[in-house]
Amino acid sequence: MAQVPIGPVATFFLCIIFAKFVHAWRSRSTVFVHGRTCRNSISHGGKMPLYELAVFGAPTAEQLKKLQEQLADACDRFKLKLGEEISLVVQPAEFRPGTRAAAAAIFFGGKDSVEIDISKSMDCESISILPVASNDASVATEIPASLRRLNCLFVDKVSPERIFNALLECVGLLPRQRRVFLSYRRNEATAAAVQLFSELSARQFDVFLDTQGIGPAVDFQETLWHQLCDVDVLIMLETPKYFESRWTSAEYGRALAKGIGVLRVQWPDTTPSIHTGTASLVELVKDELDELGQLGLPAVERICSQLENVRSLSHATRHLSMVTAVQDAIEQVEGKIDCVGSNRSMYLTLRSGRKLVIQPTIGVPTSLLLQETFERAAGEESAVVYDHFGLKRSWQVHMDWLAQKVPGTRWVKKTEAVWDFGGWEAM
C-alpha cells in the first residue's frame, strides 16, 4: 500500500514532542551524551554484543542446527562477528541483554513446553518473543498461556527461512514490512500476477500490484516509482516478451539502479535475457501453468521459499552499500567513524570535532524513522542518510518541512553526503 505523509495536525504535535525530547536529552550530563554504545564496547570486562538472541522452549536438534546455520549465514551477509557483535544462547537460565542491545527470543513449542515459564529467565515485557508452534491446533498444548497473546508462526505453514527472518525482524536487522513489487506484462501474465498478489498477501507480504496499489486521479508513473523504491524484492514475471515493453524493462532497470533484489520467475520456452544473469531464478515448466495462465501450487511454494532468501540478501547488500557511501563521504572530509551501534546507527566525528549520529536507511524514509533516529542520538546532532531517487516530489517536500520543525536532526541525501558533512556547520 502507498505510504501517506503524516497530516499537518499530527505533525505539529509530533514536533512539540520532539522539542521536549531535545530539552530533556540536552539537560542530561555530558558523560551520558557522549557515552556511545558501539561495536566492541566493553562492559563488565567483556564485549557487549549489539544483537542478542535466545532460544527457549523445546527445539528439536534439527531446528537448532538449522538456526545456527542461518545465523552464520546472516553474520556473513550483514558483516557481523558471531559472539562479539551478535550472540545466540540456547536455554539460558538467565537472559538479561545489555540495555542498549537489540534483543529477541524465540520459543519453540514441543513436548512438555507448555509448562515452561520463561518469565523466570527474562523480562517478557521488554524483549520481543517469537512463539513457534507445530501447527495451529498445537498452540494450546505447546505454547505457554503467557505467550499465547503473541502471534505465532506454524512449522507446517512457513519455511525455516521465514521463521529465522522473523527473528531478524525482531531485532531490526530486517524490516518488519515485507514489501515486494510484481513486475509483469499485462497481456502475458495478468492472471499469474493477480494470483501471486493474493498468495503473497496471505503470507503476510505487502505486495505492490499496479492494478491494486494506485488509486484514481494520481500520477500513475510517479506513484509506481515511489512504490518501487520501498520494496525489498522485485518479482519479475519473465514472459517471452517481457523486455519488449518499455515499462517492464524500466522497472527491472530501476530495481537494479536502486540495488533492489530481483527474483526472476521464468516462463516456459522463454529465452533467457543476457541482462538477467545476476537475478535469482525460479524456472517454470509447462505443467506448472494452467490454461488460464495461473500457477500450480508447487510453483507458488517455490517462489515464496526463494523470496525469503532473496529478501534477506537484498536488504543486507543494500544496507552495506549505504554504509559504505557514508564511510567514503566522512573519510573524504577528514572525519572519522567512531563506532557502529545497535540498529546500525553510525557514530561520527567531523574534522572540527563535532559529533554526529547517522542512521543509514534504505527504502522510503518516514517521520517515525526520524523520531527513532533522534531518540537514539541522545542529545547529539543526528541525520538520516537516504537515497532520494524515485521518491515522490511531494514526499520530499514533506520530509524537508518536517526536518525544519525538528531541531537537531536532518535528512541527508546519499549523493550529497560528502557535501553536507564537509559543510555541516554552515547548514
Side-chain angles (χ1 to χ4, degrees), residues 354-367:
R354 204 158 179 170
K355 304 287 186 179
L356 301 180
V357 179
I358 303 299
Q359 183 65 60
T361 190
I362 57 178
V364 176
T366 64
S367 55

Side-chain angles (χ1 to χ4, degrees), residues 56-371:
F56 291 98
T60 65
E62 183 60 29
Q63 285 173 327
L64 282 178
K65 179 182 177 183
K66 184 67 174 179
L67 188 66
Q68 290 165 342
E69 290 173 350
Q70 291 170 320
L71 181 59
D73 185 55
C75 287
D76 181 59
R77 291 182 177 185
F78 289 97
K79 307 303 179 188
L80 294 169
K81 295 180 181 178
L82 184 59
E84 294 184 16
E85 296 163 338
I86 184 168
S87 65
L88 174 68
V89 291
V90 179
Q91 306 287 20
E94 190 172 75
F95 182 52
R96 308 293 178 191
T99 56
R100 300 291 294 276
I106 184 169
F107 186 98
F108 285 101
K111 184 179 179 181
D112 300 326
S113 59
V114 72
E115 302 298 332
I116 297 174
D117 182 8
I118 65 172
S119 66
K120 297 177 180 179
S121 303
M122 62 176 283
D123 183 353
C124 297
E125 297 302 319
S126 63
I127 299 174
S128 296
I129 304 170
L130 173 63
V132 179
S134 300
N135 51 60
D136 191 8
S138 299
V139 172
T141 58
E142 294 184 352
I143 304 300
S146 61
L147 300 183
R148 289 177 204 161
R149 61 186 175 83
L150 302 174
N151 201 20
C152 292
L153 289 179
F154 303 118
V155 173
D156 68 333
K157 292 184 179 179
V158 300
S159 66
E161 289 74 22
R162 172 60 191 132
I163 293 172
F164 182 70
N165 284 349
L167 187 60
L168 295 185
E169 291 165 13
C170 289
V171 293
L173 281 171
L174 285 176
R176 286 189 179 273
Q177 296 78 15
R178 308 166 68 230
R179 296 191 173 107
V180 298
F181 185 108
L182 285 170
S183 177
Y184 69 105
R185 290 205 66 180
R186 290 187 182 181
N187 60 355
E188 289 185 310
T190 292
V194 172
Q195 178 192 13
L196 283 174
F197 175 84
S198 176
E199 294 283 357
L200 292 171
S201 297
R203 291 166 171 80
Q204 298 181 325
F205 282 96
D206 186 350
V207 187
F208 176 78
L209 181 66
D210 58 351
T211 57
Q212 304 288 330
I214 301 179
V218 298
D219 187 317
F220 182 92
Q221 211 59 50
E222 183 188 41
T223 302
L224 185 142
W225 298 136
H226 185 87
Q227 291 288 343
L228 178 64
C229 291
D230 207 29
V231 302
D232 303 314
V233 180
L234 177 135
I235 299 180
M236 166 193 178
L237 304 187
E238 190 184 11
T239 48
K241 296 183 180 180
Y242 178 89
F243 282 108
E244 293 182 19
S245 165
R246 61 175 178 146
W247 296 117
T248 49
S249 183
E251 289 166 6
Y252 176 78
R254 288 189 167 174
L256 295 183
K258 297 286 287 188
I260 295 168
V262 176
L263 177 56
R264 176 176 147 225
V265 180
Q266 184 180 302
W267 254 234
D269 301 324
T270 298
T271 302
S273 170
I274 61 173
H275 306 294
T276 59
T278 60
S280 297
L281 174 64
V282 173
E283 193 171 0
L284 302 178
V285 295
K286 286 185 178 180
D287 62 3
E288 290 181 316
L289 282 169
D290 65 19
E291 64 277 5
L292 299 177
Q294 292 192 326
L295 303 170
L297 183 58
V300 173
E301 294 296 340
R302 286 185 6 248
I303 292 169
C304 293
S305 177
Q306 194 154 337
L307 180 57
E308 290 289 351
N309 288 326
V310 175
R311 172 177 175 256
S312 177
L313 179 59
S314 171
H315 189 82
T317 302
R318 292 173 70 195
H319 183 80
L320 288 174
S321 175
M322 183 66 75
V323 167
T324 299
V326 174
Q327 290 174 332
D328 291 344
I330 198 67
E331 289 171 4
Q332 187 172 335
V333 296
E334 300 179 353
K336 66 175 182 177
I337 299 173
D338 300 321
C339 56
V340 177
S342 60
N343 300 102
R344 295 174 286 179
S345 299
M346 303 176 71
Y347 295 79
L348 315 178
T349 301
L350 298 179
R351 180 171 51 86
S352 63
R354 204 158 179 170
K355 304 287 186 179
L356 301 180
V357 179
I358 303 299
Q359 183 65 60
T361 190
I362 57 178
V364 176
T366 64
S367 55
L368 177 59
L369 176 63
L370 193 70
Q371 177 188 354

